[in-house]
Amino acid sequence: MTKPTAPDEQHSIYHIKVIIKDTEPAIWRTIQVPSHVTLYKMHRILQLVMGWQNSHLHEFVIDGKSYGESHPEYGLEMKTERRARLDELVPHQNGVFFYDYNLDDGWRHVLLVEKVLEREPGVHYPRCVAGERACPPEDCGGTRGYKELLEIVNNPEDAEYEETMAWLGGSFDPKAFDVEGVNQQLKKIR
């Protein structure tokens, strides 16, 4: 007699490369998520793996359609992300979609489904398998502001160095990324 399969065990795993557009050197992560994940949960996953603080509006853009939470006061009308499943919207390998975070600063994340894998027994999903570079600080002004911030942080002689370092809480290592720390956070997501 075969053991019944739990619903989660029936789904494949999407191996996704996430890159923050227009960052140099690139800020990226490689994640593995159940293919049937909702965009609502995907938002939570991306906040953790990238290092954002979930303090701004966001949207997913898939095939020209926006998904998220509508905000009429900002003129944002979107399809709901709560029931929108990734495997129904991006049903195959090499599918590309976008995640925009902090719509004022314009952090666009490009997501590429690199592989569709079978679930590995005993592995917790979602998980982060690789990544490079620290998440930019919230409210630093998008990619242009982040580039300027890095120039200041790398030059203690800059007139804005002390003020910028105080704003950053005393330190900031743009090269830092802790995949194990991220995976500990992801274990909270079921």
Side-chain angles (χ1 to χ4, degrees), residues 37-56:
V37 69
T38 63
L39 295 182
Y40 176 76
K41 191 177 276 190
M42 190 70 177
H43 161 67
R44 292 177 48 216
I45 292 166
L46 290 169
Q47 288 289 303
L48 290 174
V49 299
M50 296 312 298
W52 297 116
Q53 302 298 312
N54 199 20
S55 56
H56 296 283

Side-chain angles (χ1 to χ4, degrees), residues 80-154:
T80 184
E81 66 185 2
R82 290 199 178 262
R83 290 176 303 285
R85 287 180 26 171
L86 191 56
D87 59 356
E88 293 171 351
L89 298 168
V90 185
H92 51 78
Q93 186 170 309
N94 297 321
V96 175
F97 61 108
F98 305 97
Y99 172 73
D100 296 331
Y101 176 64
N102 187 342
L103 304 181
D104 291 329
D105 281 357
W107 293 107
R108 173 154 271 197
H109 303 66
V110 179
L111 292 90
L112 168 65
V113 179
E114 293 184 314
K115 301 176 198 170
V116 179
L117 307 169
E118 287 187 24
R119 176 180 287 276
E120 290 181 45
V123 172
H124 179 272
Y125 297 100
R127 72 175 174 172
C128 183
V129 294
E132 285 190 6
R133 306 198 55 83
C135 182
E138 295 274 354
D139 302 317
C140 70
T143 53
R144 190 174 78 216
Y146 183 55
K147 183 178 178 185
E148 292 169 5
L149 180 135
L150 291 178
E151 289 172 5
I152 293 168
V153 166
N154 289 323

Side-chain angles (χ1 to χ4, degrees), residues 28-39:
W28 63 272
R29 310 287 186 258
T30 302
I31 60 175
Q32 294 178 342
V33 301
S35 60
H36 68 290
V37 69
T38 63
L39 295 182

